[in-house]
Amino acid sequence: MAEKPQPVKVLYCAVCSLPAEYCEFGPDFEKCKPWLLKNAPELYPDLLKDATGKEADKVSEQLQSVGISSGGGRDGAASTASPGDSSSNKLEEVKRLPGGKVKKKDKQEVVIEKVVRNKRKCITVVKGLELFGIKLSDASKKLGKKFATGASVVKGPTDKEQIDVQGDISLDIVEFLTETWPDVPEAAIYFIEDGKKVPVV
Amino acid sequence: MFKKFSSEDVSAQNQVKASVQRKIRQSIAEEYPGLEPVLDDLLPKKSPLIVAKCQNHLNLVLVNNVPLFFNIRDGPYMPTLRLLHQYPNIMKKLQVDRGAIRFVLAGANIMCPGLTSPGGALDDQVGAETPVVIMAEGKQHALAIGFTKMSAKDIRAINKGIGVDNMHYLNDGLWKMERLD
């Protein structure tokens, strides 16, 4: 292995992010189909057939399954599995809600967390203000002034910026936030208590 | 293992010191000799190596915010599937039959019959407790990364129960996390 092995370029489906050949097992094969037809028609010859004879979709599917089962005994098992696949697709559609939840992260919300620093000293961490188009440096100054404590913009664990305010101000901060920045609705503010997100209202 | 995994599960990530970096690099080179020529490209000496600690004693090795390797409890480092797709020949391969793909993609562990059936293939040199890549019948690219529970010979002989633990599979949480920042 003296020479450098070149990285293999893998065609990933733009819809479901899987390698194109795995789309049929992906969360939503139906949605991938148009993309596959355009970009990787050779992987799914059946699809091309479908596209040309769309009016008889079901008939052609049946034809295919017949063709497969005539191909070999073991493949017969695969063809019986294919209706199961379609039902699992339906299941996946429901299941995708958790995926939606993941997307929620980009939603505008302010998260307030109290971190105990030294038994009776603590820091209030405010995350997510920047999502409302608020300048963090301005915000930290205002917070510091209002509560007469140190307040600074700090890089959080995942490179996101957050404001650390000295002292426990979690009780007053909600009112202050909603008053100074009317864009921030009270419903979008969350506390973190025992590692759980709790809405303020 | 990565069925539900998101950036929220990362409890801390920090740039590791040079000595740790060297150790990681060395253990990866030992585990995957095939990767050695490109290791300098993958883990450039200059750009900082970041290790993200996650729940369940899991570590991710990041370069430029892209997860490249993971390991558990100081176990062997395993590449992520995206990396493995680029360099497919660095690990021992096992192949499952077509019927199993569906379940593996749902996060199931790999059962022995799926490996021994006509659609599957076994590399007899594979011992117990080694990282392997799971290929699929009729597919070019890797399906999952697993950690063998028993050796290939045992899999053939016993032919029952879990043969390979499913560590990381297509479309799981780690797969979806192309970048961590």
Side-chain angles (χ1 to χ4, degrees), chain A residues 1-12 16-28 43-44 68 74-75 78-79 81 84-85 87-88 92 95 98-99 102 105 157-160 197, chain B residues 6-8 10-13 33-35 37-38 41 65 81-83 85-89 97-98 101-102 105-106 117-119 134-143 170-171 175-176 178 180-181:
Chain A
M1 286 285 247
E3 80 282 8
K4 264 187 191 177
Q6 282 301 308
V8 177
K9 285 240 165 74
V10 183
L11 182 67
Y12 293 120
C16 63
S17 89
L18 295 180
E21 54 180 5
Y22 283 106
C23 273
E24 55 180 322
F25 295 102
D28 217 333
L43 280 172
Y44 297 98
I68 289 168
R74 188 180 36 73
D75 282 346
S79 74
D85 278 355
S87 70
S88 77
E92 292 288 342
K95 267 189 198 164
V102 174
K105 253 194 84 191
T158 48
D159 259 10
K160 263 191 182 168
K197 234 189 212 176
Chain B
S6 63
S7 53
E8 280 172 19
V10 178
S11 54
Q13 54 172 300
L35 209 56
V38 288
D41 294 348
N65 289 335
L81 273 170
R82 275 181 212 276
L83 178 68
H85 282 157
Q86 290 175 5
Y87 304 100
N89 295 318
D97 60 13
R98 203 181 145 81
I101 299 177
R102 203 149 65 83
L105 282 186
S117 73
I134 311 294
M135 312 296 281
E137 179 190 2
K139 307 281 181 193
Q140 284 176 355
H141 301 302
L143 171 71
L170 287 179
N171 229 5
W175 172 263
K176 283 179 188 148
E178 276 177 70
L180 180 72
D181 40 25

Side-chain angles (χ1 to χ4, degrees), chain A residues 8 11 67 73 96 107 127 139 160-161 167 198:
Chain A
V8 177
L11 182 67
R96 280 183 70 205
K107 241 185 177 177
K127 292 177 196 163
K160 263 191 182 168
E161 304 223 301
V198 182

Side-chain angles (χ1 to χ4, degrees), chain B residues 12 38 100 106 168-169:
Chain B
V38 288
H168 170 37
Y169 53 94

Side-chain angles (χ1 to χ4, degrees), chain A residues 62-82:
Chain A
Q62 277 168 3
L63 277 177
Q64 278 163 33
S65 62
V66 170
I68 289 168
S69 60
S70 66
R74 188 180 36 73
D75 282 346
S79 74
T80 50
S82 62

